[in-house]
Amino acid sequence: HRRAGRRRLAAAVADMVVGKICYSEYAFGPMWRKVTGVKSEVSKDVYLRYAVQAVSSIMAATALYIAILTFQKAQIISSQAMFTQIYSWFFVDAAHNAELMSSLKLAGFVWFGFFVPNYLSCTVWHNQIIWHKFMIKSVCKLAQLLAMAAVLATLG
């Protein structure tokens, strides 16, 4: 049980690190400020912001961990094959590390099945449709989910 907790904590750290990089000056940060028109000033309450983000990342890592375990424990092979074909275009199968591949594929499915539709809805119902914002959020969330899945699989 402690090992699973460390895996989820490491995945949460990976989520936070990738998110920080995505919105930094080295990636999408300047474009994000331009698209949203907001000069981000997060120095106010920065520790509270990090604490809330840490809780959010732990929740996301735990949910992904449970989804991966559930998927790996499923007994119905035909439904697994159908399920993986939906999002198998994310990665080429690698037989030498099946746990990593199934974790990454499940992260891709979660992204494509839950986050992309949510971001699309937010984008089209916003007063001003900003596709750059949708793309930035989508790409960054995919990177975060893949980082968490990779950590969960490799520490297993």
Side-chain angles (χ1 to χ4, degrees):
H1 184 69
R2 253 190 273 184
R3 187 174 181 174
R6 285 191 294 253
R7 287 171 71 182
R8 292 190 307 259
L9 185 59
V13 170
D15 178 54
M16 290 180 68
V17 168
V18 171
K20 180 82 171 159
I21 291 169
C22 279
Y23 294 100
S24 73
E25 294 299 313
Y26 305 107
F28 297 114
M31 184 188 296
W32 182 257
R33 283 191 304 280
K34 182 180 176 186
V35 166
T36 60
V38 176
K39 305 288 186 225
S40 72
E41 178 56 46
V42 294
S43 61
K44 182 180 178 188
D45 301 325
V46 70
Y47 295 114
L48 176 62
R49 292 170 192 261
Y50 277 126
V52 172
Q53 179 58 55
V55 169
S56 173
S57 293
I58 289 169
M59 290 170 64
T62 301
L64 185 60
Y65 179 72
I66 291 168
I68 290 169
L69 286 179
T70 302
F71 178 72
Q72 290 174 347
K73 303 288 186 213
Q75 297 296 318
I76 305 170
I77 295 170
S78 63
S79 70
Q80 281 185 345
M82 181 182 72
F83 189 57
T84 58
Q85 285 177 347
I86 293 171
Y87 53 94
S88 63
W89 56 274
F90 284 105
F91 301 97
V92 177
D93 286 337
H96 64 278
N97 197 343
E99 184 177 348
L100 176 62
M101 291 312 299
S102 67
S103 296
L104 293 173
K105 286 181 176 183
L106 187 61
F109 178 77
V110 167
W111 171 77
F112 193 69
F114 295 100
F115 287 98
V116 170
N118 183 6
Y119 294 158
L120 276 173
S121 292
C122 290
T123 300
V124 299
W125 289 107
H126 194 268
N127 289 340
Q128 181 181 5
I129 297 177
I130 304 171
W131 291 110
H132 287 75
K133 187 175 176 182
F134 164 77
M135 292 302 295
I136 291 169
K137 286 174 71 173
S138 296
V139 168
C140 288
K141 182 50 71 180
L142 177 61
Q144 288 175 289
L145 287 168
L146 293 176
M148 286 192 297
V151 168
L152 290 170
T154 56
L155 293 181

